[in-house]
Amino acid sequence: MRKITIIGAGQAGLHLGIGLVSKGFDVTVVSNRTGEQIANGKVMSSQSMYDMAIGYERELGLSMWDDVCPPIEGVHMRAGLSDGTKLIDWRSRMGANGQSVDQRIKMPRWMDEFQRRGGKLVIQEAGILETEEYAKDSDLVLVATGKGELGKLFERDAERSVFDRPMRTIALTYVHGMKARDDFSALNISINPGIGEYVNFPAMTHTGPCDIINLECIEGGPMDRWSEAKTPADHLALTVELIREFFPWEAPRCENLRLTDDNGILVGRVTPTVRKPVGVLPSGRQVLGMADVLVLNDPITGQGSNNAAKCVNVYMKSILEHGDAAFDTAWMQDTFERYWDYAQWVARFTNTHLLPPPPQVMKVFGACGQNPALAARVANAFDDPKGLAPWYYDPVEADRFIESFAVPA
Ligand SMILES: Cc1cc2nc3c(=O)[nH]c(=O)nc-3n(C[C@H](O)[C@H](O)[C@H](O)COP(=O)(O)OP(=O)(O)OC[C@H]3O[C@@H](n4cnc5c(N)ncnc54)[C@H](O)[C@@H]3O)c2cc1C
């Protein structure tokens, strides 16, 4: 039986671990936190996921909250100014619902499921020495440690990395008491140009259905005030204050917010980074990175967990197809390139939104307000950002794309 070790028990590591153990591999997953520590710890993400990614979970019987998690039925995209002037306003249902299950619920449950199916879970902070031991003892070691230190084993790919610093301060808040929308539940995105973004959608947490607010604050701008928030109550108060000031059209939904729990907040920064896939240990042994370790995006477009599931799908296929052959450098490189073939489009979509929106994107968004079929196409791109190329990035293609949705007179 082939022996595979996965370091990191997050969205990617556990999904792949459960997939491989279900296919008869001898799998060890190493986690630096117990399920209980994850359940009782702080939120790390807002983890909205869409149809293709959830589909990969469903294939393995891992979408365990379909009946209880409130759906994300569509997208509502607005851009406007602090005085309430709207520049863009379109909405559309998506082809299939998305969902966000708090990773504090999902990962402990998946840890149990992994062990139930025969996987071995080790609780340990794996450093270089421990990784060496696993590499000596396994046919393949995958590093799925997200933003953890071990990821530094993988060299930054300067050609594929667009930024070398964080573009946003991100403030995450899990709340109860948000007023429901009066049409459909949605991924609500509001852009205040030059200031930041408001992103909100329904989710499932420890205390039941909730809403998650993600404020994306341009570095050094007027929303980047998070050092002022010393307590969870301060954090909530600042969230509401910034919504009133910079996204006033969302304020009426936020009059009676309360935190789901004191751990339902997070402030952080992410440097969007692409890394080279093969990590070389001091012994010369090689390990393969995956998901956030190799392609780390700012959460502005809510793609990282989706990407992790899509990475698992590619890696699973590549491992299964490889039979009994050695997992050598060429295989590792090739496996990652198959993933990058898709992930590059996610990175491009996300990085585009970290800069002032190009004129063709504003034009497409403007046209979405007039044309429901066009709006539906753009809404579904959150499920599959590859579908945005080429028109999202090219003015001539954008005009052609808008024209193709013209209703004959
Ligand atoms: C504020 C915020 C909001 C987000 N919102 C969304 C969203 O709405 N939609 C979306 O799709 N994505 C979102 N993301 C991104 C998403 O959460 C990540 O992309 C996704 O969790 C990546 O999965 P992963 O398995 O690569 O890493 P992780 O989920 O981070 O898992 C890594 C695991 O490895 C463990 N670990 C780390 N180091 C070690 C070690 N040395 N030894 C053992 N274990 C270790 C960690 O404790 C962790 O459990 C968001 C991210 C942030 C920061």
Side-chain angles (χ1 to χ4, degrees):
M1 205 193 286
R2 302 206 88 183
K3 203 166 173 182
I4 296 191
T5 300
I6 301 168
I7 304 179
Q11 175 67 40
L14 281 168
H15 186 173
L16 183 63
I18 294 170
L20 290 173
V21 93
S22 306
K23 297 281 180 195
F25 287 80
D26 174 356
V27 188
T28 299
V29 168
V30 185
S31 174
N32 60 358
R33 295 177 297 161
T34 63
E36 205 181 341
Q37 283 168 335
I38 293 173
N40 296 325
K42 259 193 132 150
V43 293
M44 308 289 278
S45 178
S46 50
Q47 71 273 313
S48 60
M49 293 181 71
Y50 302 99
D51 194 47
M52 190 196 311
I54 301 171
Y56 295 138
E57 296 183 354
R58 285 194 185 116
E59 282 172 13
L60 292 169
L62 291 179
S63 188
M64 300 163 170
W65 297 270
D66 285 351
D67 296 339
V68 289
C69 184
I72 305 171
E73 294 168 312
V75 174
H76 191 170
M77 173 83 74
R78 280 168 281 194
L81 307 178
S82 307
D83 65 6
T85 309
K86 294 267 187 59
L87 308 172
I88 294 287
D89 190 346
W90 64 266
R91 68 185 83 183
S92 174
R93 285 180 182 269
M94 292 184 285
N97 295 339
Q99 60 177 237
S100 164
V101 178
D102 188 341
Q103 292 181 342
R104 296 178 300 174
I105 298 177
K106 187 174 189 178
M107 299 313 152
R109 178 74 183 80
W110 278 10
M111 283 175 158
D112 291 346
E113 183 64 14
F114 171 65
Q115 294 177 92
R116 193 187 68 74
R117 296 194 196 185
K120 184 175 171 209
L121 182 69
V122 176
I123 304 300
Q124 176 187 61
E125 172 83 38
I128 299 291
L129 284 180
E130 293 77 11
T131 308
E132 282 280 18
E133 286 305 309
Y134 290 118
K136 208 188 294 175
D137 199 36
S138 314
D139 294 299
L140 173 65
V141 172
L142 292 137
V143 179
T145 48
K147 296 186 276 300
E149 282 293 301
L150 198 58
K152 295 202 175 128
L153 199 56
F154 301 85
E155 187 191 339
R156 178 176 181 271
D157 187 328
E159 275 174 36
R160 288 175 169 175
S161 300
V162 173
F163 302 108
D164 56 9
R165 63 186 171 84
M167 300 302 286
R168 297 286 187 277
T169 297
I170 307 146
L172 189 62
T173 315
Y174 281 46
V175 295
H176 290 303
M178 187 180 281
K179 193 163 171 263
R181 290 169 55 90
D182 52 18
D183 46 3
F184 49 82
S185 64
L187 164 62
N188 296 289
I189 302 178
S190 284
I191 303 167
N192 189 328
I195 295 191
E197 294 82 16
Y198 163 98
V199 183
N200 146 254
F201 41 83
M204 179 75 192
T205 186
H206 291 312
T207 46
C210 69
D211 267 276
I212 298 180
I213 300 168
N214 207 340
L215 290 178
E216 292 262 335
C217 315
I218 290 181
E219 289 284 283
M223 275 172 55
D224 191 3
R225 289 173 42 190
W226 293 92
S227 55
E228 292 170 24
K230 307 287 183 216
T231 64
D234 293 349
H235 182 106
L236 178 63
L238 184 55
T239 299
V240 174
E241 187 183 327
L242 294 177
I243 292 168
R244 283 197 191 120
E245 197 170 341
F246 297 109
F247 307 99
W249 51 91
E250 285 287 356
R253 295 187 65 213
C254 300
E255 279 165 7
N256 294 305
L257 301 186
R258 58 185 199 282
L259 293 177
T260 57
D261 60 289
D262 282 353
N263 281 328
I265 58 170
L266 179 77
V267 176
R269 290 174 183 81
V270 171
T271 300
T273 307
V274 181
R275 294 182 182 276
K276 297 191 176 166
V278 183
V280 182
L281 293 164
S283 65
R285 289 193 178 85
Q286 298 183 334
V287 294
L288 174 63
M290 69 182 299
D292 267 12
V293 167
L294 299 185
V295 185
L296 180 63
N297 289 305
D298 185 282
I300 190 163
T301 52
Q303 291 295 320
S305 296
N306 292 276
N307 246 1
K310 291 165 186 173
C311 182
V312 168
N313 180 54
V314 171
Y315 279 34
M316 272 278 287
K317 283 194 181 125
S318 187
I319 290 169
L320 293 174
E321 282 166 16
H322 206 52
D324 289 331
F327 295 111
D328 55 13
T329 320
W331 176 86
M332 290 184 184
Q333 195 73 47
D334 178 63
T335 298
F336 174 68
E337 290 305 325
R338 285 164 71 173
Y339 170 54
W340 177 247
D341 189 50
Y342 184 85
Q344 62 176 300
W345 298 108
V346 178
R348 191 163 182 192
F349 174 44
T350 304
N351 291 337
T352 299
H353 277 268
L354 291 171
L355 295 171
Q360 75 273 8
V361 169
M362 293 303 277
K363 206 165 169 184
V364 171
F365 284 175
C368 284
Q370 317 300 318
N371 188 319
L374 178 56
R377 177 74 185 274
V378 179
N380 285 322
F382 285 87
D383 178 35
D384 184 5
K386 196 173 178 177
L388 291 164
W391 44 271
Y392 216 66
Y393 309 108
D394 180 316
V396 176
E397 292 290 347
D399 285 344
R400 204 174 289 159
F401 178 71
I402 293 169
E403 186 59 29
S404 73
F405 281 85
V407 182

